[in-house]
CSV table of all heavy atoms in Angstrom, one decimal:
chain,number,residue,atom,x,y,z
Q,591,GLU,N,58.1,66.4,66.2
Q,591,GLU,CA,56.6,66.4,66.1
Q,591,GLU,C,56.1,67.9,66.1
Q,591,GLU,O,56.6,68.8,66.8
Q,591,GLU,CB,56.0,65.7,67.3
Q,591,GLU,CG,54.6,65.2,67.1
Q,591,GLU,CD,54.2,64.2,68.1
Q,591,GLU,OE1,55.1,63.4,68.5
Q,591,GLU,OE2,53.0,64.2,68.4
Q,592,GLY,N,55.2,68.1,65.2
Q,592,GLY,CA,54.6,69.5,65.1
Q,592,GLY,C,55.4,70.5,64.3
Q,592,GLY,O,55.0,71.6,64.1
Q,593,GLN,N,56.5,70.0,63.7
Q,593,GLN,CA,57.3,70.9,63.0
Q,593,GLN,C,57.1,70.7,61.5
Q,593,GLN,O,56.9,69.6,61.0
Q,593,GLN,CB,58.8,70.5,63.3
Q,593,GLN,CG,59.9,71.4,62.8
Q,593,GLN,CD,61.2,70.9,63.1
Q,593,GLN,OE1,61.5,69.7,63.1
Q,593,GLN,NE2,62.1,71.8,63.5
Q,594,ASN,N,57.2,71.9,60.7
Q,594,ASN,CA,57.3,71.8,59.3
Q,594,ASN,C,58.7,71.8,58.9
Q,594,ASN,O,59.6,72.5,59.5
Q,594,ASN,CB,56.6,73.1,58.7
Q,594,ASN,CG,55.1,73.1,58.9
Q,594,ASN,OD1,54.5,72.2,59.4
Q,594,ASN,ND2,54.5,74.3,58.6
Q,595,VAL,N,59.0,71.0,57.8
Q,595,VAL,CA,60.4,71.0,57.3
Q,595,VAL,C,60.3,71.2,55.8
Q,595,VAL,O,59.4,70.7,55.1
Q,595,VAL,CB,61.2,69.7,57.6
Q,595,VAL,CG1,61.5,69.7,59.1
Q,595,VAL,CG2,60.4,68.5,57.2
Q,596,THR,N,61.4,71.8,55.2
Q,596,THR,CA,61.4,72.0,53.8
Q,596,THR,C,62.6,71.3,53.1
Q,596,THR,O,63.7,71.5,53.6
Q,596,THR,CB,61.4,73.5,53.5
Q,596,THR,OG1,60.2,74.1,54.0
Q,596,THR,CG2,61.5,73.8,52.0
Q,597,LEU,N,62.3,70.6,52.1
Q,597,LEU,CA,63.3,69.9,51.3
Q,597,LEU,C,63.6,70.7,50.0
Q,597,LEU,O,62.7,71.1,49.3
Q,597,LEU,CB,62.9,68.5,50.9
Q,597,LEU,CG,62.8,67.4,52.0
Q,597,LEU,CD1,62.0,67.8,53.2
Q,597,LEU,CD2,62.4,66.1,51.4
Q,598,SER,N,64.9,70.9,49.7
Q,598,SER,CA,65.2,71.7,48.6
Q,598,SER,C,65.5,70.8,47.3
Q,598,SER,O,66.0,69.7,47.4
Q,598,SER,CB,66.5,72.5,48.9
Q,598,SER,OG,67.0,73.1,47.8
Q,599,CYS,N,65.1,71.3,46.2
Q,599,CYS,CA,65.4,70.7,44.9
Q,599,CYS,C,65.7,71.7,43.9
Q,599,CYS,O,64.9,72.6,43.6
Q,599,CYS,CB,64.2,69.8,44.4
Q,599,CYS,SG,64.5,69.0,42.8
Q,600,GLU,N,66.9,71.7,43.3
Q,600,GLU,CA,67.4,72.6,42.3
Q,600,GLU,C,67.9,71.9,41.1
Q,600,GLU,O,68.6,70.9,41.2
Q,600,GLU,CB,68.5,73.5,42.9
Q,600,GLU,CG,68.2,74.2,44.2
Q,600,GLU,CD,67.5,75.6,43.9
Q,600,GLU,OE1,67.7,76.1,42.8
Q,600,GLU,OE2,66.7,76.0,44.8
Q,601,GLN,N,67.5,72.4,39.9
Q,601,GLN,CA,68.1,71.7,38.7
Q,601,GLN,C,68.6,72.8,37.7
Q,601,GLN,O,68.1,73.9,37.7
Q,601,GLN,CB,67.0,70.9,38.0
Q,601,GLN,CG,65.7,71.6,37.7
Q,601,GLN,CD,65.5,72.1,36.3
Q,601,GLN,OE1,66.4,72.0,35.4
Q,601,GLN,NE2,64.4,72.8,36.0
Q,602,ASN,N,69.7,72.4,37.0
Q,602,ASN,CA,70.3,73.3,36.0
Q,602,ASN,C,70.3,72.7,34.7
Q,602,ASN,O,71.1,73.0,33.8
Q,602,ASN,CB,71.7,73.7,36.5
Q,602,ASN,CG,72.6,72.5,36.6
Q,602,ASN,OD1,72.2,71.4,36.3
Q,602,ASN,ND2,73.9,72.7,37.0
Q,603,LEU,N,69.2,71.9,34.4
Q,603,LEU,CA,69.1,71.2,33.1
Q,603,LEU,C,68.1,72.0,32.2
Q,603,LEU,O,67.9,71.6,31.1
Q,603,LEU,CB,68.5,69.8,33.4
Q,603,LEU,CG,69.3,68.9,34.2
Q,603,LEU,CD1,68.5,67.7,34.7
Q,603,LEU,CD2,70.6,68.5,33.5
Q,604,ASN,N,67.6,73.2,32.7
Q,604,ASN,CA,66.7,74.0,31.9
Q,604,ASN,C,65.4,73.2,31.6
Q,604,ASN,O,64.7,73.4,30.6
Q,604,ASN,CB,67.3,74.5,30.6
Q,604,ASN,CG,66.5,75.7,30.1
Q,604,ASN,OD1,65.9,76.5,30.8
Q,604,ASN,ND2,66.5,75.8,28.7
Q,605,HIS,N,65.0,72.3,32.5
Q,605,HIS,CA,63.8,71.5,32.3
Q,605,HIS,C,62.6,72.3,32.8
Q,605,HIS,O,62.6,73.0,33.8
Q,605,HIS,CB,63.9,70.2,33.1
Q,605,HIS,CG,64.8,69.2,32.5
Q,605,HIS,ND1,65.2,68.0,33.2
Q,605,HIS,CD2,65.3,69.1,31.3
Q,605,HIS,CE1,65.9,67.3,32.4
Q,605,HIS,NE2,66.0,67.9,31.2
Q,606,ASP,N,61.5,72.1,32.1
Q,606,ASP,CA,60.3,72.8,32.4
Q,606,ASP,C,59.5,72.1,33.6
Q,606,ASP,O,58.9,72.7,34.4
Q,606,ASP,CB,59.3,72.9,31.2
Q,606,ASP,CG,59.8,73.9,30.2
Q,606,ASP,OD1,60.2,75.0,30.6
Q,606,ASP,OD2,59.7,73.6,29.0
Q,607,ALA,N,59.6,70.7,33.6
Q,607,ALA,CA,58.7,70.0,34.5
Q,607,ALA,C,59.6,69.5,35.7
Q,607,ALA,O,60.7,69.1,35.5
Q,607,ALA,CB,58.1,68.8,33.8
Q,608,MET,N,59.0,69.5,36.9
Q,608,MET,CA,59.6,69.0,38.1
Q,608,MET,C,58.6,68.2,38.9
Q,608,MET,O,57.4,68.5,38.8
Q,608,MET,CB,60.2,70.1,38.9
Q,608,MET,CG,61.3,70.9,38.1
Q,608,MET,SD,62.2,72.1,39.1
Q,608,MET,CE,63.2,71.0,40.2
Q,609,TYR,N,59.1,67.2,39.6
Q,609,TYR,CA,58.3,66.3,40.3
Q,609,TYR,C,58.8,65.9,41.7
Q,609,TYR,O,60.1,65.9,41.9
Q,609,TYR,CB,58.2,64.9,39.5
Q,609,TYR,CG,57.8,65.1,38.1
Q,609,TYR,CD1,58.8,65.4,37.1
Q,609,TYR,CD2,56.5,64.9,37.6
Q,609,TYR,CE1,58.5,65.5,35.8
Q,609,TYR,CE2,56.2,65.0,36.3
Q,609,TYR,CZ,57.2,65.3,35.4
Q,609,TYR,OH,56.9,65.5,34.0
Q,610,TRP,N,58.0,65.6,42.6
Q,610,TRP,CA,58.4,65.1,43.9
Q,610,TRP,C,57.7,63.7,44.1
Q,610,TRP,O,56.5,63.6,43.9
Q,610,TRP,CB,57.9,66.0,45.1
Q,610,TRP,CG,58.9,67.1,45.4
Q,610,TRP,CD1,58.8,68.4,45.1
Q,610,TRP,CD2,60.2,67.0,46.0
Q,610,TRP,NE1,59.9,69.1,45.5
Q,610,TRP,CE2,60.8,68.2,46.1
Q,610,TRP,CE3,60.8,65.9,46.6
Q,610,TRP,CZ2,62.0,68.4,46.7
Q,610,TRP,CZ3,62.1,66.1,47.2
Q,610,TRP,CH2,62.6,67.4,47.3
Q,611,TYR,N,58.6,62.8,44.5
Q,611,TYR,CA,58.1,61.4,44.9
Q,611,TYR,C,58.5,61.1,46.3
Q,611,TYR,O,59.5,61.5,46.8
Q,611,TYR,CB,58.8,60.4,43.9
Q,611,TYR,CG,58.4,60.5,42.5
Q,611,TYR,CD1,59.1,61.3,41.6
Q,611,TYR,CD2,57.3,59.8,42.0
Q,611,TYR,CE1,58.8,61.4,40.3
Q,611,TYR,CE2,56.9,59.9,40.6
Q,611,TYR,CZ,57.7,60.7,39.8
Q,611,TYR,OH,57.4,60.7,38.5
Q,612,ARG,N,57.7,60.2,46.8
Q,612,ARG,CA,58.0,59.6,48.1
Q,612,ARG,C,58.3,58.1,47.9
Q,612,ARG,O,57.5,57.4,47.1
Q,612,ARG,CB,56.8,59.8,49.0
Q,612,ARG,CG,56.9,59.0,50.3
Q,612,ARG,CD,55.7,59.2,51.2
Q,612,ARG,NE,55.8,58.3,52.3
Q,612,ARG,CZ,55.5,58.6,53.6
Q,612,ARG,NH1,55.1,59.9,53.9
Q,612,ARG,NH2,55.6,57.7,54.6
Q,613,GLN,N,59.3,57.5,48.5
Q,613,GLN,CA,59.6,56.1,48.3
Q,613,GLN,C,59.7,55.5,49.7
Q,613,GLN,O,60.4,55.9,50.6
Q,613,GLN,CB,61.0,55.9,47.6
Q,613,GLN,CG,61.2,54.4,47.3
Q,613,GLN,CD,62.5,54.3,46.5
Q,613,GLN,OE1,63.4,55.0,46.6
Q,613,GLN,NE2,62.5,53.3,45.6
Q,614,ASP,N,58.8,54.5,49.9
Q,614,ASP,CA,58.8,53.7,51.1
Q,614,ASP,C,59.3,52.3,50.8
Q,614,ASP,O,59.1,51.8,49.6
Q,614,ASP,CB,57.4,53.6,51.8
Q,614,ASP,CG,56.9,55.0,52.2
Q,614,ASP,OD1,57.3,55.4,53.3
Q,614,ASP,OD2,56.2,55.7,51.5
Q,615,PRO,N,59.8,51.5,51.7
Q,615,PRO,CA,60.3,50.2,51.4
Q,615,PRO,C,59.1,49.3,50.9
Q,615,PRO,O,58.0,49.3,51.5
Q,615,PRO,CB,60.7,49.6,52.8
Q,615,PRO,CG,61.1,50.9,53.6
Q,615,PRO,CD,60.1,51.9,53.1
Q,616,GLY,N,59.4,48.7,49.8
Q,616,GLY,CA,58.3,47.8,49.2
Q,616,GLY,C,57.2,48.5,48.5
Q,616,GLY,O,56.2,47.8,48.1
Q,617,GLN,N,57.3,49.8,48.4
Q,617,GLN,CA,56.1,50.6,47.9
Q,617,GLN,C,56.4,51.2,46.5
Q,617,GLN,O,55.5,51.8,45.9
Q,617,GLN,CB,55.7,51.7,48.8
Q,617,GLN,CG,55.1,51.2,50.1
Q,617,GLN,CD,53.7,50.7,49.9
Q,617,GLN,OE1,52.9,51.2,49.0
Q,617,GLN,NE2,53.3,49.7,50.6
Q,618,GLY,N,57.6,51.2,46.0
Q,618,GLY,CA,57.9,51.9,44.8
Q,618,GLY,C,57.8,53.4,45.0
Q,618,GLY,O,57.8,53.9,46.1
Q,619,LEU,N,57.8,54.2,43.9
Q,619,LEU,CA,57.7,55.6,44.0
Q,619,LEU,C,56.3,56.1,43.9
Q,619,LEU,O,55.6,55.7,42.9
Q,619,LEU,CB,58.6,56.3,42.9
Q,619,LEU,CG,60.1,56.5,43.2
Q,619,LEU,CD1,60.8,55.1,43.4
Q,619,LEU,CD2,60.7,57.3,42.1
Side-chain angles (χ1 to χ4, degrees):
Chain Q
E591 202 163 325
Q593 185 183 42
N594 293 352
V595 292
T596 297
L597 284 59
S598 170
C599 178
E600 304 276 332
Q601 54 99 359
N602 60 4
L603 300 167
N604 199 32
H605 283 170
D606 288 317
M608 296 186 75
Y609 309 83
W610 273 106
Y611 294 91
R612 170 180 172 139
Q613 188 175 30
D614 295 279
Q617 289 289 325
L619 274 64

